[in-house]
Amino acid sequence: MEKLVKEVNGVRLSYRDTGEGTPVVLLHGFCGSSAYWDELVPLLEGRCRLIVPDLRGHGDSSAPEGTYAMETFAEDIAGFLKSLDIGRAVVLGHSLGGYITLALAERNPDLLLGFGLVHSTPLPDDEKGKEGRLKAMDTIREQGLPAFIEGLVPKLFAPAHLETMPQAVAKAKQIGLETNPDGAVRTLEGMRTRPDRRKVIEEAKLPVLLIAGTGDGVIAPEKTFAAEGAQTTKKQIDGAGHMSLVEAPGELAQAILDFTSLI
């Protein structure tokens, strides 16, 4: 599918726009791109309008200098949504995309019909997590992005799927290699310093979807489900790791369709 481009906040954002119906924006995870959603898009585009951007520093989008705080990403997406002139949308974020979604929901709830986290969490990094981000930044600076991606991607899949889904693992690595190295480092710093956003879920006046995988070794289900409010829907996908978008796209698509049908 041909990618489109919009200039927002001094960033060139590349994106895909397909289907008709309720607008659903899909935000990918760290060292991913809109291609992370390739397995899911065909399952959803007949039922809703999918808008799938590459975040700043990722995929075909530009990687400007400066801080990549979650609020900065959220400003990009807010400006992007306004430029599309679609009114309000459902925004669903995978991992890093979930952190951005929460920042967007906190700052611009008027742009949303509902929002959700896919293998993400409202919790901030703990001290061990912050140390891990610093080590990752050092790895990219000292050994290069390929060395980091080679270590990262296998952790994203449930162990059993590393053997049964070799092509998916290889594709995730290739997508990761398309990340701008400086953008990756800036994003790691932004994730490392993000705040606790449990209240965004607990106090939400909009429908909220939380999706976790029982085999997720990156963000365990209890971290995804660390907060809930009156309109929260929780879904656990058995056997999925951090990448249900490719490990169990059918189940994930159904959960999203069930959620959007309530809006």
Side-chain angles (χ1 to χ4, degrees), residues 27-33 36-37 55 58 94-97:
L27 303 181
H28 63 78
F30 177 57
C31 285
S33 75
Y36 258 19
W37 303 99
L55 299 169
H58 294 73
H94 170 243
S95 197
L96 159 67

Side-chain angles (χ1 to χ4, degrees), residues 20 58 66 90 92 101 105 114 116 135 151 157 162 209 215 228-229:
E20 295 180 358
H58 294 73
V90 176
L92 305 173
T101 297
K135 288 181 179 177
F157 289 81
L162 291 176
L209 177 64
E228 64 179 287

Side-chain angles (χ1 to χ4, degrees), residues 50 57 247:
L50 296 174
E247 293 174 285

Side-chain angles (χ1 to χ4, degrees), residues 207-226:
V208 180
L209 177 64
L210 303 176
I211 293 177
T214 61
D216 193 336
V218 178
I219 297 177
E222 58 265 28
K223 289 191 173 182
T224 298
F225 303 145

